[in-house]
DNA sequence: CGTTACACCTGAGGGC
DNA sequence: TGCCCTCAGGTGTAAC
């Protein structure tokens, strides 16, 4: 579900609600694919800690704790981080399922992490239906191979650097954009949208993209991500911002999940192809 | 090293 | 209604 804009919107909305607060109690779901650090160890380490920072690297969030430990978080495809009790029609549905409204509360099997604070509600919740999300505790000074592999943050996409990466690749340009080691934060929606804005067909081999096009592409990656952050991200199926508001960027999509619809620029029919096992959408007339 | 297929997990929606 | 299929915003790993 979440790409860089959704993660950044989550970070910005969450930060004022959690930074400076002290964790009073922790409830974790059972051990699963989701927990890189075993839940019992995680719960023990978080209790009594103050949250001092919340940063983003690509699609990862890093929560800094008072004693120098950090919590690495990834939302995967269906992860939702939010303050308990946030209100919106959409979140009410989540809350109903999650047992966060009404009484007595029924435990939601998809909420894997619940933090309560010493100064009272609202607590922080991490819900993730598919469990592709991740949580890992990092000791003070400890790094993580996932973070080490990340390329430049996509909000700082650099055209020259993109071009030099593209020269070495025979894979489609779309695959290059999705490579987190090249540009950290771009996912399926924004790769398609940036390629549309630049007039490049996602299937084109990366090494057939000119320097000039790479410069433009990097600019458009920044532009589309920035615009999406401004509109609160994309809420296509289940992204809910921590304040309970839906993002609005899905209303500005030009190609993603618009197969069969008319291109907004030339009225040709948007097509869908599969690249690297991911759906890709483009306008066959505007994109070459 | 680069590329590709597949696995991980759950739910929604379409066709019959 | 039930069943079976495909699809979903991601990423780690194995094999060529």
């Amino acid at each position: 579900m979440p790409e860089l804009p959704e993660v950044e919107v989550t970070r910005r909305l969450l930060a004022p609600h959690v930074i400076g607060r002290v964790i009073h109690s922790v409830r974790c779901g059972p051990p699963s694919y989701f927990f890189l650090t075993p839940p019992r160890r995680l719960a023990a380490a978080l209790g009594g800690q103050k949250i001092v920072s919340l940063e983003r690297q690509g699609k990862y969030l890093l929560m800094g704790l008072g004693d120098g430990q950090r919590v690495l978080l990834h939302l995967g495809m269906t992860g939702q981080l939010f303050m308990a009790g946030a209100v919106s029609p959409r979140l009410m549905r989540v809350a109903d399922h999650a047992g966060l409204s009404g009484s007595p509360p029924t435990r939601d099997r998809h909420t894997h992490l619940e933090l309560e604070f010493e100064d009272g509600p609202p607590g922080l919740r991490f819900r993730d239906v598919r469990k592709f999300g991740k949580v890992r505790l990092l000791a003070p000074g400890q790094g993580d191979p996932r973070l080490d592999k990340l390329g430049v943050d996509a909000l700082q996409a650099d055209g020259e650097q993109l071009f030099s990466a593209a020269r070495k690749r025979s894979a489609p340009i779309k695959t290059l954009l999705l490579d987190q080691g090249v540009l950290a934060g771009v996912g399926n929606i924004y790769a398609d949208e940036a390629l549309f804005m630049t007039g490049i067909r996602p299937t084109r081999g990366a090494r057939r993209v000119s320097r000039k096009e790479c410069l433009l592409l990097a600019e458009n990656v920044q532009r589309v991500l920035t615009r999406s952050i401004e509109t609160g991200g994309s809420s296509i199926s289940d992204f809910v911002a921590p304040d309970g508001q839906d993002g609005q960027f899905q209303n500005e999509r030009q190609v993603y999940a618009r197969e069969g619809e008319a291109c907004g620029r030339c009225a040709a029919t948007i097509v869908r192809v599969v690249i690297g096992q991911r759906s890709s959408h483009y306008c066959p007339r505007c994109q070459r």
Side-chain angles (χ1 to χ4, degrees):
Chain A
M1 145 201 146
E3 304 181 32
L4 185 151
E6 292 74 34
V7 177
E8 178 61 17
V9 167
T10 296
R11 189 193 69 76
R12 292 185 187 181
L13 292 170
L14 227 43
H17 293 288
V18 300
I19 291 177
R21 296 181 82 194
V22 177
I23 299 167
H24 174 256
S25 60
V26 182
R27 196 195 74 84
C28 292
S32 71
Y33 192 69
F34 175 85
F35 287 102
L36 295 176
T37 297
R40 293 202 50 175
R41 197 154 77 73
L42 183 69
L46 294 184
Q49 291 291 322
K50 178 187 277 195
I51 297 176
V52 298
S53 62
L54 187 62
E55 286 163 15
R56 181 190 58 75
Q57 285 185 43
K59 301 175 194 172
Y60 289 90
L61 285 175
L62 275 164
M63 184 182 286
L65 303 178
D67 68 350
Q69 295 185 99
R70 297 184 295 169
V71 182
L72 180 65
L73 303 161
H74 195 287
L75 299 179
M77 290 279 270
T78 51
Q80 301 170 314
L81 265 178
F82 58 97
M83 305 309 295
V87 181
S88 85
R90 160 165 245 129
L91 194 63
M92 289 304 280
R93 268 177 271 133
V94 173
D96 287 342
H97 288 288
L100 302 174
S101 64
S103 59
T106 327
R107 284 299 179 200
D108 165 37
R109 47 190 289 254
H110 299 306
T111 299
H112 307 110
L113 188 58
E114 304 185 10
L115 304 185
E116 310 300 344
F117 297 100
E118 284 188 350
D119 58 358
L124 179 65
R125 301 289 180 266
F126 193 169
R127 185 169 191 269
D128 183 5
V129 170
R130 291 178 74 183
K131 296 198 281 273
F132 289 169
K134 294 282 174 282
V135 54
R136 183 188 178 192
L137 183 70
L138 299 176
Q142 183 180 19
D144 184 283
R146 296 163 184 77
L147 296 178
D148 296 339
K149 275 189 236 164
L150 296 180
V152 2
D153 194 87
L155 281 180
Q156 269 83 247
D158 176 68
E160 293 292 351
Q161 179 265 331
L162 187 60
F163 179 56
S164 74
R167 304 228 62 174
K168 306 166 196 155
R169 304 281 199 110
S170 62
I173 183 67
K174 164 91 182 264
T175 302
L176 187 74
L177 288 182
L178 291 178
D179 185 339
Q180 302 300 295
V182 175
L183 276 182
V186 177
N188 212 26
I189 297 178
Y190 302 106
D192 280 5
E193 295 297 323
L195 287 166
F196 171 80
M197 290 165 73
T198 317
I200 301 171
R201 203 171 284 211
T203 50
R204 199 200 303 177
R207 69 169 61 130
R208 318 245 344 255
V209 179
S210 71
R211 198 182 98 116
K212 192 170 180 182
E213 286 174 314
C214 282
L215 298 183
L216 218 55
L217 183 54
E219 271 183 43
N220 286 329
V221 164
Q222 289 195 30
R223 191 167 290 138
V224 71
L225 296 178
T226 300
R227 174 60 189 159
S228 181
I229 291 169
E230 285 170 6
T231 61
S234 297
S235 297
I236 289 177
S237 70
D238 50 5
F239 173 65
V240 184
D243 65 349
Q245 297 299 304
D246 283 0
Q248 293 301 131
F249 187 79
Q250 68 277 13
N251 301 323
E252 301 190 16
R253 279 171 306 144
Q254 298 298 301
V255 288
Y256 181 80
R258 292 198 58 216
E259 179 187 16
E261 296 178 37
C263 169
R265 239 192 93 219
C266 77
T269 303
I270 305 298
V271 300
R272 170 184 175 274
V273 296
V274 174
I275 301 172
Q277 290 82 238
R278 313 293 304 276
S279 277
S280 300
H281 316 76
Y282 67 92
C283 169
R285 190 179 301 169
C286 293
Q287 295 173 259
R288 306 289 175 167

